[in-house]
Amino acid sequence: MDIFDEIRFIARKTQNPYLKEARSAGQKIMGYLCSYVPEEILHAAGFIPYRLRTVESLGTEKGDLYYSALNCSFVRHCFDKAVRGDFDFLDGVIFFNGCDHSRRMYDNWRDLYRERQAGPGFLHMLIAPHKISQTALNRYTDELSKLVRALEESFGLKITDQKLHNSICLYNEKRSLLAQLFAMRKGEKVPLTGAESIRLVLALSAVPVEKAVSLLEKMIDACQDRNVAKPGDLRLFMAGGCMEEADHMQLIEDQGAVVVADNLCLGARSVHTPIEEDLPPVPAIARRYLTHLSCPRMVNDFYSRSHYFEETIRDFSVDAVITDKLMFCDLWGGEAFLLKSEARRLGIPILTLEREMHGGGAGQVQTRVQAFFEKIANLTQDDA
Amino acid sequence: MFYAGCDVGSLTAEAVIMEDGRLRSWAILPVGARTEESAYSVMQQALKEAGLTMDGLALICATGYGRKNIPFAQFNLSEISCHGMGAHWCDPSIRAVIDVGGQDCKAICLDRQGRAVDFVMNDKCAAGTGRSLEILARAINLGLEDLGPVSLKSRHPVRITNRCSIFMELEVLQHYYGGRKIRDIARGINHAVAKRVAFLAQSLDMAPGFALTGGVSKNAGVAKSLEKILGVRFRPLKVDPQLMGALGAAVHAGVKAGVKDS
Ligand code: SF4
């Protein structure tokens, strides 16, 4: 199996052989929900951090008993899997107040556990401020210390600064390799498609970090002389929240584009900003997670996101932008609106898509995206 | 030189054959279960009409939902590009096209060459589509084709306030059982659907020179309401508006094949 097949295989499964192997060797696995939950702390506590995913979802019927149809389909699918017992192999879950829909999952899961003893008993709610400031940083640092204590008390272990330091170095290495790989998309030759990059990040968030590093090294090797861009393909920037459906991304790219950069949860957000290795670990982790490329939940940080947007469009020679949000996601709704005016200011074409997770509707997406690309071709053609 | 466009949508399939800038023949058929078969039959019909065989065609462009699955087409373009080009072929002064089809509705801005330079498409709901008109018409026991003519006789139209087609249906039924005249309800339905379409179109900066295409353009009631809400007049098209997608595809094929005045 070559590295691309291996990544594809891991990405489309809830569990994978590396997890199973680690578990049978006695290692514990800790689920988490969002790009603001520091994997370093979970790793230093001896867990394999595992990002909750909706792949292999059978629907939302069971999740809908707890959620309403007006909730985001990512959380509905995710919780549906929890109700069905797909995440029973986890030893705990760290929730996060990314948005209200995902915050609710903590309450729902506690209910689920109380009623049916389903899933792990250790459920922890991590709170991060919705703003970036010194006060917010202090608050978030306290929250992380609380998480450290909760893990220590519940599992009877000690998370030393030395362990945290080791984990920080490992995750910095993983981030830097991923950053290196993503930077390779700057050139004319684009080594991997947007769909492949989603699969990659999805896979990396479900295996032990040491394995992730070796997978990444293999990937970088395999990408050296690789070019997936076809002649005439537009270079695309994708922005959005949860997107695990590589096929959806593939469908967009198949209309005549290749994704070269993004601000996606399973994308650029996981590669930016290393953790400072010579600072006290918990405050250093807090600083990185609070100030890395932000998700629109950070209400006073649009300026940095738009700065990143502008810089990336220039550095990666981006031709067009697509924002892709899940239905009822207000955070991305607002962001898409702001990005539209940014795009107008920068003179770059932008298309706004909306979808339900695993929702199908391929025909509509295809028409919209193809027409968008045709429109760009028309706009760039000379008025003969 | 002969060239063609083939449009396989969700309800009907159309084919148009052109010869050096002139319309030679066309065909419209309801679609079957398989895109490929529908495409073949509609093309065969148009070819027969023109006295041609497939080999006689220099280039074929496909469009519509089935566009990627039409094996005899050399290339495909979105319905948006094709509807725009079709309307432009009928009248080069057209700069804005509102296409209300069975499943979706679109507003398209065109440049002087008939190329789409901006567009919007409904994604939130079906309330501005032919399908919702059909459901609403059925609620008052009218055929889709009667909705337009009947509504034009109304003098006291009912007001339908809901935006969602399911709730619209409930509102329509309420008026129906409340004894309101069919023609007044029909006018209310047309106006409500026109409002949804206009709402979408207004999000684009559309220049004067409007055309209405797609199946719903045959409903005079909707067309009239749309003109009123948007404050425009639709230019009449010299070809059946349902053919616009296939016609536009054929024109694009002509351009690609290098036909002057295609
Ligand atoms: S996509 Fe939006 S609504 Fe869904 S979890 Fe993310 S931020 Fe929340």
mmCIF file of all heavy atoms in Angstrom, chain A residues 72 99 101 242 326 329 331, ligand 1:
data_model
loop_
_atom_site.group_PDB
_atom_site.id
_atom_site.type_symbol
_atom_site.label_atom_id
_atom_site.label_comp_id
_atom_site.label_asym_id
_atom_site.label_seq_id
_atom_site.Cartn_x
_atom_site.Cartn_y
_atom_site.Cartn_z
ATOM 1 N N CYS A 72 -26.140 22.191 13.594
ATOM 2 C CA CYS A 72 -25.143 21.885 12.572
ATOM 3 C C CYS A 72 -25.033 20.367 12.354
ATOM 4 O O CYS A 72 -25.071 19.581 13.310
ATOM 5 C CB CYS A 72 -23.833 22.483 13.045
ATOM 6 S SG CYS A 72 -22.364 21.598 12.647
ATOM 7 N N CYS A 99 -18.576 26.520 19.437
ATOM 8 C CA CYS A 99 -19.824 27.211 19.180
ATOM 9 C C CYS A 99 -20.869 26.536 20.054
ATOM 10 O O CYS A 99 -20.580 25.526 20.691
ATOM 11 C CB CYS A 99 -20.198 27.095 17.702
ATOM 12 S SG CYS A 99 -20.580 25.397 17.235
ATOM 13 N N HIS A 101 -23.495 24.816 19.274
ATOM 14 C CA HIS A 101 -23.893 23.482 18.825
ATOM 15 C C HIS A 101 -22.919 22.442 19.363
ATOM 16 O O HIS A 101 -23.320 21.384 19.835
ATOM 17 C CB HIS A 101 -23.901 23.391 17.299
ATOM 18 C CG HIS A 101 -24.673 24.477 16.617
ATOM 19 N ND1 HIS A 101 -25.704 24.219 15.755
ATOM 20 C CD2 HIS A 101 -24.571 25.820 16.672
ATOM 21 C CE1 HIS A 101 -26.185 25.368 15.302
ATOM 22 N NE2 HIS A 101 -25.510 26.343 15.854
ATOM 23 N N CYS A 242 -15.872 22.638 9.593
ATOM 24 C CA CYS A 242 -15.608 21.208 9.516
ATOM 25 C C CYS A 242 -15.843 20.739 8.089
ATOM 26 O O CYS A 242 -16.949 20.883 7.577
ATOM 27 C CB CYS A 242 -16.579 20.429 10.397
ATOM 28 S SG CYS A 242 -16.966 21.259 11.921
ATOM 29 N N LEU A 326 -21.344 24.990 6.723
ATOM 30 C CA LEU A 326 -22.431 24.074 7.029
ATOM 31 C C LEU A 326 -23.670 24.890 7.346
ATOM 32 O O LEU A 326 -23.562 26.008 7.858
ATOM 33 C CB LEU A 326 -22.061 23.208 8.232
ATOM 34 C CG LEU A 326 -20.977 22.169 7.968
ATOM 35 C CD1 LEU A 326 -20.608 21.452 9.243
ATOM 36 C CD2 LEU A 326 -21.439 21.157 6.935
ATOM 37 N N CYS A 329 -24.607 27.342 10.577
ATOM 38 C CA CYS A 329 -23.391 27.761 11.256
ATOM 39 C C CYS A 329 -23.307 29.272 11.124
ATOM 40 O O CYS A 329 -22.955 29.799 10.071
ATOM 41 C CB CYS A 329 -22.169 27.096 10.638
ATOM 42 S SG CYS A 329 -20.648 27.662 11.411
ATOM 43 N N LEU A 331 -21.328 31.262 12.721
ATOM 44 C CA LEU A 331 -19.953 31.768 12.742
ATOM 45 C C LEU A 331 -19.410 31.868 11.319
ATOM 46 O O LEU A 331 -18.885 32.885 10.905
ATOM 47 C CB LEU A 331 -19.069 30.834 13.569
ATOM 48 C CG LEU A 331 -19.423 30.765 15.048
ATOM 49 C CD1 LEU A 331 -18.609 29.691 15.735
ATOM 50 C CD2 LEU A 331 -19.156 32.113 15.696
HETATM 51 S S1 SF4 C 1 -19.392 24.117 11.623
HETATM 52 FE FE1 SF4 C 1 -20.103 25.911 12.729
HETATM 53 S S2 SF4 C 1 -21.900 25.193 13.862
HETATM 54 FE FE2 SF4 C 1 -20.765 23.357 13.240
HETATM 55 S S3 SF4 C 1 -19.413 22.913 14.972
HETATM 56 FE FE3 SF4 C 1 -18.254 24.216 13.572
HETATM 57 S S4 SF4 C 1 -18.536 26.316 14.302
HETATM 58 FE FE4 SF4 C 1 -20.127 25.023 15.254
#
